[in-house]
Amino acid sequence: MKRQIQLLTLAFLTLALHVHAEDGSRLWLRSDTTAQATVTANKQSPVIAVAIHELQTQWQGAPVRLNIAVTKAIKSLGNDGYLIDGNPQTVVTITSASEQGLLYGAYHLLRLQATQKMPAVLTVAESPKYERRILNHWDNMDRSIERGYAGRSLWEWEKLPDTLSPRYKEYARANASIGINGTVLNNVNANPQILTAEYLAKVKALADIFRPYGLKVYLSVNFAASKTLGGLPDADPLNKEVIQWWNNKAKEIYALIPDFGGFLVKANSEGQSGPQDYGRTHADGANMLADALKPYKGIVMWRAFVYNPTKEDRAKQAYQEFVPLDGQFRDNVIIQIKNGPVDFQPREPFSPLFGALQRTQEMIEFQITQEYLGFSNHLVYLAPLFKETLDSDTYAGGQGSTVAKITDGTLRPAKVTAIAGVANTGDSANWCGHYFAPANWYAFGRLAWNHELTSEQIADEWLRMTFTADERFINPAKEMMLVSREACVDYMMPLGLHHIFSFNAHYGPQPWGYFPGGRQDWMPVYYHKADSLGVGFDRSATGSNAVSQYFPPLNDIYGDIARCPENMLLWFHHVSWTHKLKSGNTLWEELCYAYERGVNKARDLQKTWDRLEQYIDGERFAAVQSKLQIQTKDAVWWKDACLLYFQTFSKLPIPYDIERPIHKMDDLKMVRFTQDDVLKNNYCIK
Ligand code: GCV
């Protein structure tokens, strides 16, 4: 009897643990349901089968009838758009011009329910702002991930195509649930091997799994592949043999994957080969690939992230390279431009290329993985950053020409509209390394669908689906998310400072960074230019004149120290330490207060989180708690390193009302670590 009780207790405990175990693997798709929906469809297909399955297994309310129907009648909502109407207590109908649209409609309906936002009567009409909503994986074929902080690559190349991880389907499902419809599987620093028959068979296996979820596969290609893989003497885009090689390759790919999306290309950038190796232009290179893909409706996403170690300001180079080529690209080429002119910094102005290319299609590239925002150690919710760029007015076609409207086809009709985000996924159980990091994947998808959603709306949805609907949790946790990006800017690089990270790893401060013999434009001192007079990069007319790349009136506003937004002041100006800011503080004082504020905000994140323990599972609570400790420790590290270092130039006291540095600069200069050390919290700041 005693043994039976023990066994029963054990069984109960196991069940209880199982019910409450939350390892983050279900992301925002955690509905447990008793399936009360009867679903009817006017058509059968693999995509519709997924929609039906989702509705049948995720519907939580009263028993209902759900009709889903493909109908050409509503073509005005575009291919992926849908209508949802009816009464969620009785009958609901989802209609779309495509199967894919029905699937998105199904996820929309389920999201309303999972977030407790189901109205009494449904009248939803939705269509996405961008036609192609794409994740970029910087995953290598050895399964390492460039700038990846959540384990190894999801793609088990060594086991493909025979063994198919269940995670592939979960990945596709998560993407479909937020409207992402494309994925570039491999790193832009592309290994040509991905184009071999052996690897294309593996890519096909993934494409087959993703297809019912409407997720198209794209590949990054190495521009030199015709040479390195094809054995040709060169990769000159005007060489007939090279053209033929790519035509054949496209044919081979489409024979395997008929709905293949196209190529992403990083050319003549950071050591990658490109058309300029043969005296040709980016347009020559992009068009050659575009022509190869054209018969199959494939596209080329050609990256504008190009810069060379010249005397020219790095922030100006992409514009200088691409503006003269405006109008020369094929209509299935789109130029993929990072949100800012340098490189995914905690805050950058928008890239001046947006709007400057008037006869060339442009798309934006965001970074979801937190290369420059504390890896998977820091809680930094990126929707405010994404929206800041999308909502920026370029003035390219007069007031109101926001980056969003330039890129989504509103202001300039485009054959292809697209948006990309560099993924933060890996094979860790919770997908992204930090339990809050999936919020950035989620936010990217939601904004790609509708960039008019607010950061607050998206955070609210994500929290409800990921943790709990309890308002006592939601409201404070949402506030944490909403302040977190500005906190990060404050403790890392306030007032427009940028790129003062430790070399290569891009984690932690190294404002003193100067490496004899190395590339100037990879060194922190190149970016902050601190000296006895002041700090900041003069990009006004007296400096590099990068401001001239912006349309009026922005060129004047950014170029005028008195009118330049203070949160970008040191991006555009070299400012004297004693220059007075709007607050009445000198620049030096403002810098000190900003770092202090950043540290305090990090501490506030900790304080708020600790109060939320009772509302969620212990596993995720404890993991986030320990990450917040790291974040706060790092914030202090940043503050001390930057203030102590800049003080050697300003020679001014740190205002006495803020907390004193607790480190010595000499000790901070000795800190050494690898990316792995950082992720294991195995770096020591004395
Ligand atoms: C994929 C930055 C990163 C590189 C990245 C590059 C790019 O320089 O540090 O890791 O390479 O951007 O976007 O191509």
Side-chain angles (χ1 to χ4, degrees):
M1 184 62 182
K2 195 172 161 201
R3 173 142 175 82
Q4 269 173 338
I5 290 173
Q6 273 174 344
L7 282 176
L8 270 174
T9 317
L10 193 69
F12 175 75
L13 277 177
T14 317
L15 188 70
L17 277 177
H18 180 71
V19 169
H20 296 293
E22 288 276 6
D23 61 2
S25 59
R26 292 194 295 166
L27 291 163
W28 51 86
L29 297 166
R30 296 163 53 253
S31 300
D32 291 313
T33 177
T34 44
Q36 300 276 1
T38 312
V39 188
T40 62
N42 72 344
K43 194 178 166 192
Q44 294 306 316
S45 78
V47 176
I48 289 180
V50 172
I52 294 174
H53 177 77
E54 292 289 19
L55 291 168
Q56 279 175 341
T57 58
Q58 301 295 303
W59 181 262
Q60 296 171 70
V64 310
R65 214 178 68 235
L66 303 175
N67 303 321
I68 62 175
V70 178
T71 153
K72 294 289 163 222
I74 53 163
K75 202 97 189 106
S76 60
L77 288 176
N79 215 27
D80 290 349
Y82 51 83
L83 292 176
I84 309 178
D85 46 66
N87 179 337
Q89 302 299 321
T90 53
V91 184
V92 178
T93 303
I94 307 174
T95 43
S96 170
S98 73
E99 299 165 15
Q100 191 54 42
L102 292 184
L103 183 59
Y104 294 137
Y107 283 120
H108 186 128
L109 184 64
L110 294 169
R111 181 166 56 239
L112 289 173
Q113 200 166 52
T115 54
Q116 301 78 38
K117 296 195 169 139
M118 185 70 86
V121 178
L122 280 154
T123 49
V124 174
E126 283 273 328
S127 57
K129 298 279 187 193
Y130 295 95
E131 176 208 345
R132 296 177 193 242
R133 306 168 296 275
I134 306 175
L135 283 185
N136 287 185
H137 288 271
W138 287 357
D139 294 23
N140 298 314
M141 288 158 72
D142 62 3
R143 297 193 59 203
S144 62
I145 305 178
E146 185 154 347
R147 313 303 178 185
Y149 313 109
R152 302 178 73 210
S153 170
L154 288 166
W155 324 132
E156 298 175 347
W157 294 116
E158 69 285 7
K159 297 187 190 159
L160 283 163
D162 303 324
T163 307
L164 303 172
S165 158
R167 279 205 125 179
Y168 300 150
K169 205 189 233 185
E170 291 167 32
Y171 165 84
R173 177 176 181 237
N175 280 317
S177 75
I178 49 175
I180 290 174
N181 65 359
T183 176
V184 183
L185 296 177
N186 59 321
N187 192 350
V188 285
N189 292 324
N191 186 332
Q193 293 301 315
I194 196 78
L195 293 174
T196 57
E198 182 193 353
Y199 274 88
L200 289 177
K202 298 171 193 270
V203 172
K204 172 187 162 40
L206 290 174
D208 289 345
I209 298 176
F210 298 165
R211 190 166 297 112
Y213 292 88
L215 189 65
K216 272 190 185 167
V217 158
Y218 298 72
L219 290 176
S220 294
V221 296
N222 185 307
F223 197 79
S226 61
K227 184 174 163 195
T228 49
L229 201 65
L232 296 180
D234 60 51
D236 181 346
L238 301 193
N239 174 345
K240 288 207 172 69
E241 283 184 316
V242 172
I243 295 171
Q244 193 53 48
W245 189 86
W246 281 105
N247 287 346
N248 293 345
K249 194 45 80 182
K251 193 170 173 197
E252 182 186 349
I253 294 173
Y254 280 93
L256 293 168
I257 310 165
D259 55 353
F260 179 72
F263 295 149
L264 171 63
V265 192
K266 172 175 176 177
N268 293 119
S269 166
E270 297 188 332
Q272 293 298 312
S273 64
Q276 293 178 336
D277 302 352
Y278 306 96
R280 314 298 182 193
T281 67
H282 284 283
D284 294 329
N287 291 342
M288 184 267 293
L289 295 176
D291 290 343
L293 298 174
K294 182 86 177 175
Y296 315 96
K297 299 194 168 55
I299 64 161
V300 171
M301 295 166 287
W302 191 270
R303 292 177 92 226
F305 180 67
V306 297
Y307 65 101
N308 281 312
T310 59
K311 287 221 174 321
E312 188 55 280
D313 175 3
R314 171 174 168 185
K316 288 174 70 181
Q317 294 184 32
Y319 180 103
Q320 289 171 332
E321 196 74 62
F322 281 88
V323 169
L325 301 175
D326 192 16
Q328 295 181 24
F329 294 91
R330 299 280 193 269
D331 65 3
N332 60 334
V333 174
I334 186 163
I335 305 300
Q336 182 165 318
I337 306 166
K338 289 190 180 183
N339 60 292
V342 171
D343 196 10
F344 300 137
Q345 299 300 292
R347 168 162 284 120
E348 292 191 42
F350 67 88
S351 164
L353 262 177
F354 291 113
L357 296 180
Q358 317 226 344
R359 287 165 299 132
T360 304
Q361 299 170 126
E362 301 182 304
M363 64 185 280
I364 195 163
E365 174 180 322
F366 286 117
Q367 197 178 43
I368 308 172
T369 189
Q370 291 170 230
E371 172 179 358
Y372 296 103
L373 291 105
F375 293 5
S376 53
N377 280 347
H378 293 201
L379 189 169
V380 185
Y381 173 52
L382 295 176
L385 186 160
F386 299 160
K387 279 194 70 78
E388 185 172 287
T389 314
L390 290 165
D391 293 344
S392 294
D393 198 343
T394 67
Y395 291 90
Q399 196 167 8
S401 310
T402 60
V403 171
K405 287 186 178 161
I406 294 280
T407 52
D408 74 1
T410 307
L411 292 178
R412 293 182 187 159
K415 285 219 161 128
V416 183
T417 63
I419 182 166
V422 180
N424 61 351
T425 50
D427 71 349
S428 67
N430 69 9
W431 297 85
C432 304
H434 191 305
Y435 284 109
F436 273 76
N440 294 331
W441 176 8
Y442 185 87
F444 169 76
R446 296 291 285 130
L447 288 172
W449 183 273
N450 180 5
H451 51 64
E452 285 170 7
L453 292 172
T454 67
S455 302
E456 196 264 337
Q457 275 172 303
I458 298 171
D460 190 87
E461 279 178 10
W462 179 80
L463 282 166
R464 282 169 193 273
M465 290 194 283
T466 302
F467 287 103
T468 166
D470 192 325
E471 302 288 340
R472 291 167 300 175
F473 174 84
I474 295 288
N475 293 331
K478 197 174 12 179
E479 186 54 25
M480 288 174 69
M481 291 172 74
L482 291 174
V483 301
S484 61
R485 186 277 182 126
E486 214 54 47
C488 176
V489 170
D490 278 345
Y491 63 68
M492 282 187 184
M493 278 166 270
L495 295 167
L497 283 172
H498 50 288
H499 224 312
I500 55 176
F501 297 91
S502 75
F503 183 68
N504 218 2
H506 297 165
Y507 191 92
Q510 209 175 67
W512 45 81
Y514 174 77
F515 316 96
R519 278 179 67 155
Q520 292 290 316
D521 55 356
W522 284 349
M523 298 180 197
V525 298
Y526 169 89
Y527 293 99
H528 64 62
K529 305 209 184 301
D531 57 22
S532 60
L533 301 176
V535 61
F537 199 128
D538 185 2
R539 296 191 165 107
S540 73
T542 56
S544 79
N545 205 18
V547 292
S548 66
Q549 295 182 338
Y550 290 91
F551 285 91
L554 287 183
N555 51 353
D556 288 337
I557 295 172
Y558 289 160
D560 178 355
I561 196 167
R563 289 194 293 154
C564 180
E566 287 187 350
N567 63 9
M568 290 191 283
L569 193 61
L570 305 181
W571 184 283
F572 287 114
H573 296 275
H574 190 72
V575 182
S576 132
W577 296 111
T578 53
H579 175 82
K580 284 263 189 212
L581 298 184
K582 293 196 184 83
S583 62
N585 291 326
T586 64
L587 172 71
W588 167 248
E589 288 164 343
E590 196 73 17
L591 207 58
C592 294
Y593 286 122
Y595 276 108
E596 173 81 349
R597 193 168 57 235
V599 168
N600 286 338
K601 283 186 194 158
R603 292 204 176 107
D604 286 345
L605 296 181
Q606 285 189 291
K607 287 181 198 157
T608 307
W609 187 251
D610 280 356
R611 290 197 188 98
L612 302 181
E613 182 167 11
Q614 56 191 306
Y615 304 115
I616 62 164
D617 53 289
E619 224 171 314
R620 289 187 296 175
F621 173 79
V624 171
Q625 186 183 47
S626 90
K627 294 267 185 183
L628 289 172
Q629 284 163 1
I630 300 174
Q631 184 165 0
T632 306
K633 181 183 73 169
D634 287 350
V636 176
W637 175 24
W638 270 99
K639 172 190 155 197
D640 287 3
C642 294
L643 291 187
L644 289 171
Y645 171 75
F646 288 133
Q647 193 178 33
T648 63
F649 298 98
S650 78
K651 310 262 188 246
L652 292 166
I654 293 174
Y656 294 107
D657 56 339
I658 72 173
E659 197 177 313
R660 311 288 85 200
I662 56 169
H663 300 105
K664 292 197 175 65
M665 190 162 66
D666 285 345
D667 290 341
L668 294 179
K669 284 187 172 174
M670 298 303 291
V671 179
R672 299 274 181 278
F673 53 84
T674 63
Q675 175 173 309
D676 221 39
D677 296 329
V678 170
L679 295 174
K680 291 188 180 134
N681 194 18
N682 200 15
Y683 55 103
C684 171
I685 312 156
K686 264 210 285 179

